[in-house]
Every structure is written in C-alpha cells, then in structure tokens.
Amino acid sequence: MEFRNIAIIAHVDHGKTTLVDAMLAQSNTFSDRDVIEERVMDSNELEKERGITIYAKNTSIMLDGKKLNIVDTPGHADFGSEVERVLRMVDSVLLMVDAYEGPMPQTKFVLRKSLALGIKPIVVINKIDKPMARPDVVLDMVFDLFVELGATDEQLDFQHIYCNAKAGIAYTDINDRSDNLQPLFDLILKHVDVAPHNTEAPMRMQPANLAYDNYVGRLAIGRVYEGVIKNGMTVTVATPDGERKKQKITKLFTHQGLQVVEVAEAEAGDIVQIAGIPDIYVGDTIAEDPQAEALPSIAIDPPTLSMDFLINNSPFAGREGKLVTSRQIRERLLKELETNVGLKIEFPESSDTFTVSGRGEMHLSILIEQMRREGFELQVSQPRVVMKMEEGEKQEPIEVVVV
C-alpha cells in the first residue's frame, strides 16, 4: 500500500480542524449511522469549549486505495513544540492561511520549522467566503514570507489552493467553482511524495509523540521509517545519550479514520502507536537490529515560564475539591509527565511545593483547569519567567505579538 503523511499547520483559528472535518466527511470515512460533530478532532473537553486545538492528533483517510495519514496540530504558540515534533514524521504540510488576516506569528514559526526540515508545503488560502477576503494579496504575503525565511527555489515553487473549509469546497483557481474537496485531494496525491517503503530492511521507527492508556500504559506514536513492525516483536531502544536496552512490543495500533485499530503488523511509511516500552520517550530510536544506527534526535523546546503548585493551606481549604493532599497532587503531576512532553516538574523530597515549568501561560493554565475539573484543589504561585545562562550571559525568552 502507498502511504502519504501530511500535517496541517497554521496560526490559531485559521481553520485546520474544520478542514480535517471536511476531509473525513468527503472521503467516506464515516458510515451513514455515524453522528458527525463539528471539529470532531477536538475531542478534549477544553478544546471544544475554547474552539482551539491543544493536542496534536492523528487520523487517516483512504484516497483511491492510498492511505493518507493526517496530523491535526495545535495553532497556539504555547504548543508549538508539538508541531515541531510532528513535522519529523510527515512528508509534506498543508500551510493554512486566513484569506483576510494573512500570515500571523504562529504561521511564521511553523513555516520556518517546515522549511528547515526541507519540507515543501502546500499553501491553503482558507475562509475565502469572508466579505473582506483578499486571497491574491494574502498569497503574495505568503510568498514574501517564504523568501524572508530563506526558502529554496524548489520550496518557493509551492502549490496553492483556495478553500472554504466550513463549506467543504476547494478550487485551484480563484475564478473556478467547486462543490467539494476533490481538487485538494487531487493536489495532495499529485504533489505529496509517497513515503519511502523499504520493507526489506530491518525495522526502525521513532516516536514523535506520547499518549497514555489505563490498560496498556505509555504509548509511543511515530512513523515506521524502515522494515515491518510486528506485534510481539523484540526490539532495541536506543536513546539520544547512547544507551541501548531490549524491550518487547506488546500492542501495535494504526489509525483508520478516527479509530485506533489493533493490528498484527505495519509497514514502513505508516504512522503507528506501540505499547510495551514503559520508559519510551520522544526522539528514541526503536530498532529490530540491536546494532542499528540511531535516527537523528528530536529536540524539544525548553520551558519559558514556571509556577509553584502547592497544597491549599488557606482557611477555605477543602471547599472546592476532594483531592487536596500533596501525595495526590504529586501523583497527578507524575501522570501528566507521561504525555505532556513540553512540561518540566521538580519534585523536592521534603517539600509540598512542586515547581512546574511550561511553554507559556496557556500551557500551564490548561493543566491547572484540567486538574480543577478532576476534583483537585491546590494553590499556584505567580508565573515566573525562566532565565538561563549562555556563555556567561543571562538569556530571557521573548514573545512576538501583533496588535
């Protein structure tokens, strides 16, 4: 089977998840009995409320007998490290840009990362139904951004398409008319490279994201680069610091539409989830050959803000939540580390205060709100900027805003 792997990247609220909805609906992924929700990929309660994507998620559709793996990515800058990791396991990206707003700060961030990895994006000018839409001007702005970020001549020759994701229509020329996304599907099949499919070589894969299941434990989500991965296979895990250890894959899953389906084996080019390696981490190499060369490591952006989490010792303690002890808070934070790769937490032995560091206010506030809804009661300190020393100079993170 042919595989093509794409990520959909954009600034927040430029229509990524809405486009995935339309792609799933028009590729006959759902049966007639399925109830299709709006922004179906935003499965988390907070995502539905805020209307933004917080966690990168995988899905797949079938186009003319070919499997297209799609990764829906967050648009907020605080979750940019998720986008950066996802880019390592795809062959191309759909760069979505609002037909009125044009490129925004997060557009620039995700595009820079894509170009640095040698990816040739397909530009999708979305929301062309807006009364104030200016698609031709925005297309020129995108081209200028490519030039500014040092794109190669090949990358500057990018394909583009106009889209109204909410209505589920796309066309390659602004004067054309269409009633579906078939022009987008045709463009993807024509211009996205088929994933390398060397099934004869020994298996190698690399996790780009983590998940957790109460029954099978930690799950590694990544692309199979070479060979065939099988359920029950004995593998060697090579960490970026050179350590190697034997492990066994106990469960193997692949994506079929919105379903995560257990399979006996998967081939090079596919994106899979595996269980059975309790301490697997992003950037490790999972190989069939014990002496296999490790794949290039995946860098994770360091935290920029930190806050102290501590037990509520105020006179009003115990009125809001039921989970109030430091042991319960510690266990919950340890569980969060299983999947929240951008988070760093300090656990002092003789203190009830835990220092939690993340990528920004949104990153930390999402965690606090999730804990509150789960019944936790805790105090948090004022956020502090994380400084670091480089070559004897104090370095401070900056944030670019557009008013």
Side-chain angles (χ1 to χ4, degrees), residues 246-316:
K246 278 197 169 185
Q247 299 282 0
K248 185 176 181 180
I249 295 171
T250 58
K251 294 282 185 182
L252 175 64
F253 305 93
T254 188
H255 302 91
Q256 293 181 9
L258 295 176
Q259 305 299 317
V260 179
V261 181
E262 186 173 355
V263 293
E265 62 178 41
E267 300 175 346
D270 204 0
I271 294 175
V272 299
Q273 297 187 21
I274 63 168
I277 309 175
D279 55 352
I280 191 69
Y281 198 67
V282 167
D284 291 350
T285 299
I286 303 168
E288 182 180 4
D289 179 5
Q291 303 303 319
E293 181 183 354
L295 293 161
S297 178
I298 298 176
I300 298 169
D301 287 343
T304 60
L305 280 183
S306 66
M307 299 175 72
D308 291 335
F309 285 34
L310 58 156
I311 60 171
N312 184 9
N313 53 15
S314 75
F316 301 102

Side-chain angles (χ1 to χ4, degrees), residues 68-318:
L68 176 66
N69 285 308
I70 304 169
V71 188
D72 185 22
T73 64
H76 196 280
D78 280 13
F79 308 104
S81 60
E82 288 219 14
V83 181
E84 191 173 357
R85 297 196 307 274
V86 162
L87 292 175
R88 292 288 294 271
M89 62 180 181
V90 298
D91 305 297
S92 184
V93 295
L94 300 184
L95 176 70
M96 296 193 69
V97 184
D98 187 294
Y100 171 67
E101 292 181 356
M104 299 293 279
Q106 184 69 356
T107 313
K108 186 174 183 177
F109 173 83
V110 294
L111 180 59
R112 178 188 285 116
K113 299 293 184 183
S114 303
L115 297 176
L117 290 169
I119 292 173
K120 188 175 178 182
I122 294 174
V123 175
V124 180
I125 309 295
N126 191 33
K127 303 188 181 182
I128 54 172
D129 57 313
K130 278 187 171 183
M132 300 288 287
R134 42 178 189 161
D136 291 335
V137 174
V138 167
L139 184 60
D140 290 339
M141 293 166 69
V142 173
F143 183 85
D144 292 342
L145 182 59
F146 270 69
V147 174
E148 179 188 335
L149 296 178
T152 64
D153 290 344
E154 186 181 7
Q155 289 171 327
L156 284 172
D157 188 26
F158 57 83
Q159 299 296 316
H160 68 277
I161 194 164
Y162 303 96
C163 181
N164 177 355
K166 202 164 189 177
I169 58 175
Y171 27 89
T172 52
D173 189 284
I174 195 65
N175 297 314
D176 290 346
R177 285 296 170 263
S178 167
D179 57 4
N180 56 37
L181 290 177
Q182 193 59 45
L184 176 62
F185 293 151
D186 293 342
L187 194 67
I188 290 170
L189 291 177
K190 185 176 179 181
H191 293 284
V192 175
D193 293 336
V194 178
H197 191 63
N198 182 5
T199 56
E200 302 300 320
M203 188 279 299
R204 284 197 305 172
M205 75 163 284
Q206 185 176 51
N209 221 337
L210 301 175
Y212 189 82
D213 183 274
N214 290 330
Y215 297 101
V216 298
R218 184 181 283 200
L219 293 162
I221 305 169
R223 173 173 171 169
V224 183
Y225 287 93
E226 295 172 335
V228 178
I229 188 169
K230 299 178 181 179
N231 197 355
M233 175 185 276
T234 299
V235 295
T236 297
V237 178
T239 61
D241 57 12
E243 184 184 353
R244 289 176 181 255
K245 48 197 170 186
K246 278 197 169 185
Q247 299 282 0
K248 185 176 181 180
I249 295 171
T250 58
K251 294 282 185 182
L252 175 64
F253 305 93
T254 188
H255 302 91
Q256 293 181 9
L258 295 176
Q259 305 299 317
V260 179
V261 181
E262 186 173 355
V263 293
E265 62 178 41
E267 300 175 346
D270 204 0
I271 294 175
V272 299
Q273 297 187 21
I274 63 168
I277 309 175
D279 55 352
I280 191 69
Y281 198 67
V282 167
D284 291 350
T285 299
I286 303 168
E288 182 180 4
D289 179 5
Q291 303 303 319
E293 181 183 354
L295 293 161
S297 178
I298 298 176
I300 298 169
D301 287 343
T304 60
L305 280 183
S306 66
M307 299 175 72
D308 291 335
F309 285 34
L310 58 156
I311 60 171
N312 184 9
N313 53 15
S314 75
F316 301 102

